[in-house]
Every structure is written in structure tokens, then in C-alpha cells.
Amino acid sequence: EYGRPFIILKEQQQKARIKGLEAQKSNILAAKAVSNVLRTSLGPKGMDKMLVSQDGDVTITNDGATILERMEVQHQVAKLLVELSQSQDNEIGDGTTGVVVLAGALLAQAEKLLDRGIHPVRIAEGYEQACEIGLKTLGEIGDVVEFDERNLEPLINTAETTLNSKIINVNRRKMAEIAVNAVVGVADLERKDVNFDMIKMEGKPGGRLEDTELIQGVVLDKEMSHPQVNFTKMIQQVKDSGANLVICQWGFDDEANHLLLQNKLPAVRWVGGVELELIAIATGARIIPRFSELTPEKLGEAKVCREISFGTTKEKMLVIEGCKNSSAVTCVVRGGNNMIVQEAKRSLHDAMCVVRNLIKDNRVVYGGGSAEIACSLAVSKHADSVLGTDQYAIRAFADALDDIPLALAENSGLSPIEELAAVKSKQAKEANPFLGIDCTQNGTNCMKTQGVFETLIGKQQQLLLATQVVKMVLKIDDVISMGQYQ
């Protein structure tokens, strides 16, 4: 009519599509909901979550990436936070809960600024400025830890800090030592490189966490095939080569089994491809596709091949130790039930990632929220020198950083506001960036004295990733679902 187009909408469609400030508020609300789920899992006294899949499988964990991955969130922006924790996990391996909590705090502060009429682009720009100040501050307050193969204590302390917040924190010293020894065992300290493919993790429920051990070699969740085509020629070829143990990727029937037994050749069948490659690397053996290619030069070497059994069950595992190439290690994780074993494996993986990061870059910042408080003070100071509306966003960033120590205090059963105010004023007066929240009530706020470390690159990555995702969320002003736009 009068040259104006008609827009035809399906019934209820106007409600389905949201634009402008309403879209930003809706997105922030969804992101905050996800962040609040993880907030109570932060720190050494953080709570665990029980996740039940559609099949009824139960997972108990406080690892941020695992919680979000198994929550199956539906909202588009909530999925961005799931990807955020996954990015932190892939790049750093630890700090997945903290990065999501920080992103949620930044969005909560942004919501207050939007209510005051500040444009989202101005908020995003202010956050970017504040993030740069935060990263610079982290670099300045960072400490260098010296370690070598004879002095691994700094690495063990850092791994212990990671395990503090896990279900296995009662045995954190032993677990930290296992994680460090596993990583150092496969690391090239000169090149500062760690090959994670050489670390294998096997779990077996039924024991105690204290029974977890590190094997300098390869462990297979298999047992010897003795206790079905004529295989006589093949087995003779194996004998002629001088081999005294056969490991096969595929199965073989009872006749072959009988012939192997007759020839006193122990054998293992149905070994996975990845495990087979690991055994080949560790023992210096070659994987052969045909028996005719078998020669003595292609055989590997290992000093001991033994079976270990567990409790009163018939279950056994095969241990191959004293390998030619010793840089293959296996963690055999024990626990009261399968859920404990799986969480222990996830916790050990986080600790190993932290040790790897420290080998790559041996700079650390101190935990307990001390780094966030130091950054918050620096960002607030910078805001005083900024003119215009950007200063509000920069101050909001500083307030969001305070949310991490607040959450740590809250989860530890302390009075959050009082604790934060006391530590913050003390840090400002003494210019001591090592003061944080005493979550474990050790009697000192100095995280350096308590030996609570976090890797510098891990903490910087948290700030960077959280800021990037928040900027992205703030710049969305229209949510259009597929097939709903005419």
C-alpha cells in the first residue's frame, strides 16, 4: 500500500524473533545461566555436578569443559560458552571453569551498562582496552620457576594446585608426582616439547585411589590368549624369526591358539591400532601386514612382559616394561567405582596439561584469586586516566575480575565481600600481588607461601578468550532462526 511492502509473518513469529537491546539482554541471560551452573564448581572447595545422559550413564565431575560438553545446551549463545570452555581445554587443558565464570561476570557487568544507555560497541571497546591492561599486569606480576630433571618440586606444586579442586585432592601429592613423572618421561626438555601421544591412561575400578601407579612402559587391558585354515606355516615363520611374544590387531581362532600354545608362543589378540603403534614405538618393533615379511630385524625388545590381576576378579592386564625406547609411559588409575576412575583420569589429564605448559613456558602467577585482584586494581587505576564512556566499561571489567575471588570465597564457606575487601585493600597497601583468598584456611593469604601456582599462559588465555567471546555476544543484535524470516 502506497508503495510500502507488506511483511507477512507466520503466527507467533513476531515473538520468536528478537532484535536490538532485547536480543542482547536475552543472550546475556542465557550466558549467565550457563556461567552460574559452573560458578559453584570453582576453587578447591568447589562442588561437583552429576550429569545423567539419555542412556542413564552417570558422570560426576567439576571439570568445566566436561560439564558443559555433557549438558547438551540448546540456546545459541549458551553454545558459545560451551565452545569457549572447549577452546581453553584444547589450548591449555586447565582453567575451563574459570574462563566461563569470568565470561559470565563480564556479561553481567555489561548488562548494567546497557541499562544505563551505553552502546554495546563502546562496552566491547572498553573491555578490549581493559583486557590489554590485564594481560600486561599478569606479565609484570609473573614469577619464573626454575626446575630441571633433578628438581621437579616446582612442577609438582603447580600440578597440586590443579588437583586441589578435584575429587582426588586427598591424594593430590601422589597424583601430582605421577602427572609430573609421566610428562617428564616423554618430554624433550631441551626443545621444550611434550609428546602426549606417548602417555597412555588405563583405568580399573575396584581398588583405592592410592593404588594408582605409573608404569614405565605400555599397559594393555588384555590377557594372554592361551588358558581356529592351517596356521602351521605362519607360526613356524614366527618361530624362525626368533620372536617370543605375538601381538595381533585382529583375532585368531582356537586352532591357531592351540598351535601357538604347542610352540610355546604367548600371544595377545584384539589389540587396538593406537595401542599397537605405541607398543611398536616403545619396543622398537615394526608392524607387519604379512607373515612373509617377518624378519629378525623387525622384532622389538622389552625386558619384562607380565600379567597383573586385580582383587578377586578374573580380570587381568598385560604390562610391557623395560622397553627399548623408554619414552612411553602408562598411568594405571584405580578407584572405588568407574565414576571415580573416570574423574581421576580427567583430573590427571588436567595436571599433565599444566605441567606441559610449564615446561613450554616456566612463568607462573599465584592462585587464590591473587592474580585477578592485582589485574582488577591495575585496570581500575587505568580507568581513572580515561575520558569518555569507555571508562565505565573499563571499571566494569575490573568489577568482573573481582567475581573470581568472590566465587572462591563463597565456595569455601567464607564471607565473600569481607574476604575480598580485606585482601584487596591489603594488596593495594602493600603492593603485594601474591595475596589471595585463603580458601583452605591455612592462616596466610600469601599464595607464594602456600605454594599455590597457576601457569601464566593459562591465566592469560582465560582473559583473552573470555573477552573475545563477550565482545562477540555484545555485538549480536538480532537472532534469526532458519526458516522464520520472510
Side-chain angles (χ1 to χ4, degrees):
E1 194 180 4
Y2 307 115
R4 296 191 189 104
F6 281 100
I7 296 174
I8 302 167
L9 297 170
K10 289 180 186 172
E11 192 181 356
Q12 298 290 312
Q13 188 182 326
Q14 195 63 43
K15 288 182 182 177
R17 184 175 171 205
I18 49 174
K19 297 162 77 173
L21 189 61
E22 193 186 342
Q24 280 143 357
K25 289 281 189 71
S26 167
N27 292 340
I28 289 171
L29 184 67
K32 274 166 60 184
V34 172
S35 175
N36 288 339
V37 169
L38 293 193
R39 201 172 187 272
T40 54
S41 295
L42 194 68
K45 305 287 184 182
M47 308 298 270
D48 293 346
K49 309 294 177 196
M50 181 185 279
L51 300 139
V52 185
S53 73
Q54 290 174 341
D55 303 330
D57 293 334
V58 177
T59 304
I60 297 174
T61 183
N62 75 347
D63 179 60
T66 307
I67 293 168
L68 293 184
E69 183 190 335
R70 304 197 182 179
M71 262 171 55
E72 293 183 14
V73 296
Q74 298 298 317
H75 196 280
Q76 309 87 336
V77 170
K79 284 177 182 172
L80 286 178
L81 289 199
V82 176
E83 288 172 14
L84 168 67
S85 71
Q86 208 62 56
S87 300
Q88 179 78 13
D89 199 34
N90 294 341
E91 189 68 23
I92 301 298
D94 186 40
T96 51
T97 307
V99 72
V100 176
V101 172
L102 180 58
L106 286 168
L107 286 168
Q109 293 295 331
E111 190 174 23
K112 294 176 188 173
L113 298 179
L114 289 171
D115 288 339
R116 290 165 73 174
I118 297 175
H119 196 276
V121 171
R122 305 299 302 175
I123 300 171
E125 285 172 0
Y127 276 5
E128 194 161 13
Q129 264 192 64
C131 180
E132 283 174 20
I133 299 295
L135 293 174
K136 187 182 165 194
T137 307
L138 285 173
E140 288 166 359
I141 66 171
D143 217 346
V144 176
V145 292
E146 299 297 342
F147 64 89
D148 53 48
E149 287 178 357
R150 291 180 300 279
N151 175 29
L152 298 174
E153 199 59 32
L155 295 179
I156 293 168
N157 283 341
T158 315
E160 276 193 80
T161 303
T162 300
L163 295 172
N164 253 334
S165 61
K166 308 293 182 187
I167 204 168
I168 61 174
N169 67 352
V170 179
N171 308 101
R172 65 179 176 271
R173 176 72 195 187
K174 183 179 181 182
M175 292 297 190
E177 285 174 3
I178 286 173
V180 170
N181 290 331
V183 173
V184 171
V186 301
D188 184 335
L189 294 178
E190 282 183 21
R191 288 173 51 224
K192 298 188 175 181
D193 182 49
V194 178
N195 184 0
F196 256 49
D197 293 334
M198 299 302 284
I199 303 174
K200 191 165 171 281
M201 232 175 296
E202 285 289 348
K204 197 57 98 171
R208 301 175 307 158
L209 274 169
E210 295 94 310
D211 299 333
T212 299
E213 60 178 319
L214 183 69
I215 304 285
Q216 295 294 333
V218 183
V219 177
L220 297 175
D221 197 358
K222 301 284 174 191
E223 55 185 283
M224 297 295 184
S225 68
H226 313 329
Q228 294 173 5
V229 10
N230 293 324
F231 282 100
T232 313
K233 187 182 176 186
M234 294 179 181
I235 287 163
Q236 193 55 48
Q237 286 171 326
V238 174
K239 287 287 283 184
D240 292 344
S241 72
N244 55 11
L245 173 64
V246 181
I247 298 175
C248 182
Q249 186 169 3
W250 304 110
F252 38 79
D253 58 22
D254 292 343
E255 187 184 344
N257 220 1
H258 175 68
L259 287 168
L260 285 161
L261 177 59
Q262 268 189 334
N263 286 276
K264 295 181 180 173
L265 269 173
V268 188
R269 54 187 169 185
W270 298 117
V271 175
V274 175
E275 292 171 321
L276 204 66
E277 284 174 15
L278 198 61
I279 295 165
I281 294 167
T283 61
R286 295 287 297 276
I287 299 170
I288 57 152
R290 285 175 291 277
F291 281 87
S292 56
E293 295 178 17
L294 189 55
T295 59
E297 296 78 45
K298 291 179 181 174
L299 299 182
E301 290 174 28
K303 286 179 184 171
V304 182
C305 183
R306 61 189 172 93
E307 275 187 328
I308 50 174
S309 56
F310 302 92
T312 56
T313 65
K314 289 181 182 177
E315 289 187 44
K316 290 179 180 174
M317 278 178 143
L318 205 61
V319 179
I320 302 168
E321 289 175 297
C323 300
K324 192 176 181 180
N325 173 13
S326 60
S327 65
V329 297
T330 307
C331 293
V332 181
V333 182
R334 304 300 312 279
N337 58 35
N338 194 46
M339 283 177 284
I340 298 275
V341 170
Q342 295 307 320
E343 178 66 353
K345 282 165 81 170
R346 283 189 289 268
S347 305
L348 268 174
H349 179 263
D350 280 8
M352 286 174 189
C353 288
V354 166
V355 175
R356 174 201 61 189
N357 295 338
L358 209 53
I359 287 172
K360 285 185 175 178
D361 184 342
N362 66 340
R363 291 175 299 164
V364 295
V365 288
Y366 293 93
S370 60
E372 282 85 359
I373 293 170
C375 289
S376 173
L377 289 166
V379 170
S380 295
K381 190 178 177 184
H382 174 72
D384 295 337
S385 62
V386 176
L387 301 173
T389 52
D390 282 1
Q391 63 178 295
Y392 294 106
I394 294 168
R395 282 204 180 88
F397 192 97
D399 290 340
L401 284 169
D402 286 343
D403 202 54
I404 298 286
L406 273 174
L408 287 172
E410 203 173 304
N411 294 344
S412 303
L414 306 170
S415 174
I417 304 291
E418 282 176 30
E419 286 290 324
L420 177 64
V423 173
K424 204 170 181 181
S425 65
K426 200 174 177 187
Q427 212 185 94
K429 279 178 194 169
E430 298 177 15
N432 181 358
F434 306 150
L435 300 175
I437 306 292
D438 181 17
C439 298
T440 49
Q441 299 292 279
N442 282 349
T444 174
N445 289 105
C446 182
M447 295 297 124
K448 191 169 186 175
T449 307
Q450 287 200 24
V452 179
F453 304 109
E454 292 183 67
T455 55
L456 174 66
I457 54 173
K459 190 58 76 179
Q460 286 179 329
Q461 189 78 1
Q462 277 189 343
L463 274 189
L464 268 172
L465 289 179
T467 308
Q468 282 175 14
V469 167
V470 167
K471 279 171 60 187
M472 183 190 287
V473 172
L474 286 173
K475 287 187 176 181
I476 299 168
D477 76 335
D478 198 348
V479 181
I480 305 165
S481 295
M482 207 173 200
Q484 287 189 341
Y485 186 69
Q486 297 285 348

